Amino acid sequence: MLTRFALRRLVLGAGQVLLLLVLVFGLSLLLPGDAADARAGEWFSEQQRTQTRQLLGLDLAPVTRFLRWLGHVLTGDLGTSYAGGEPVARVIGEPFAVTGLMAALTTLVLLPVAGCAGFAAGLRPGSVRDRVITTVSVVLDSIPDFVLSVLAVAYLAVRLRLFPATFLGVDLSGMLAEPGYLVLPLTVMVARVAAPIVRLVRAGVIDVLDQPYIRQARRFGVGRASLLLRHVAPNALGPALQELGRTGDGLLSGVLIVEAVFALPGIASTLIEAIGDRDQPVILAIVLITGVVAIAVNTLIDLAGQRMVPRRGRS
């Protein structure tokens, strides 16, 4: 049943990615000017612009250009950047590595922090501990990303000089060599997405602890650790896992702000630059990869959720 569910999700996801690519390509055509105008600036004559369009293939019909790009993608070729003339894979390779590193570290920190905080609050609802955790999560959830980022830079980096303020002049190898660069953006990213997960885990724990089978297990003398790990956790974490999938979809907007504030050389900055250059091959490649990753992550999370709570799969 899980295999059939995964195949159905993957087929549906492929259609969603194709629809997304068509939509993004159509929206890119609505932007004023094209890649030839972006490269020419005020210095090229109209004849030179025309020659540049022919060189880049912009004189072809949009549908033809899109289908030609899609055909190259199916063979593993993401095309050539209009702006720099480099292979798109080379243009987006390191930015994706930087963003992927940030996303992986955010997830590694987020899961234990949000899970433990939600459990700690849910085990004693109404207690001081529960109120403190709930209040902190609500406050963090109510602060906009850019405000939290600016506050972190102003006080922790500039005033207290605890961590570097920006990534200016730092590449991926520099980030790995000096982990201090990652502390502030990672803190902002985790704080941004942890709050709803904490609240969902808390609500799930409270709901599960009130179920009759939990009370019956206590009467049978099931140990506290076994009760929490084998009976409470799988049922309480299901809704939080679904939220984690939706959180992954929304990470791009948060990454965009974090990258802008901390001058992080990630994929969001590359996407903004590509939009400014009207560099459609780079834009479409970024949308394709992020779309595939989002669908793959959501599918894995749904599979994990069905595995943890199999009754939902039969309903």
Side-chain angles (χ1 to χ4, degrees), residues 25 27-46 48-60 65 80-85 88 273-283:
F25 182 76
L27 290 175
S28 70
L29 296 175
L30 299 179
L31 294 172
D34 56 18
D37 294 323
R39 290 181 62 171
E42 300 177 354
W43 308 103
F44 279 25
S45 64
E46 191 58 37
Q48 288 173 313
R49 292 171 190 263
T50 303
Q51 292 174 346
T52 303
R53 288 191 180 92
Q54 293 174 345
L55 181 65
L56 297 177
L58 295 174
D59 55 329
L60 300 175
R65 296 207 317 262
T80 303
S81 168
Y82 287 161
V88 171
E273 186 177 348
I275 293 174
D277 292 335
R278 308 295 188 265
D279 199 343
Q280 290 171 337
V282 174
I283 296 172

Side-chain angles (χ1 to χ4, degrees), residues 109-135:
V109 176
L110 173 67
L111 291 180
V113 169
C116 291
F119 252 86
L123 289 176
R124 293 185 180 278
S127 64
V128 174
R129 182 176 66 191
D130 175 35
R131 292 177 182 176
V132 170
I133 294 174
T134 302
T135 301

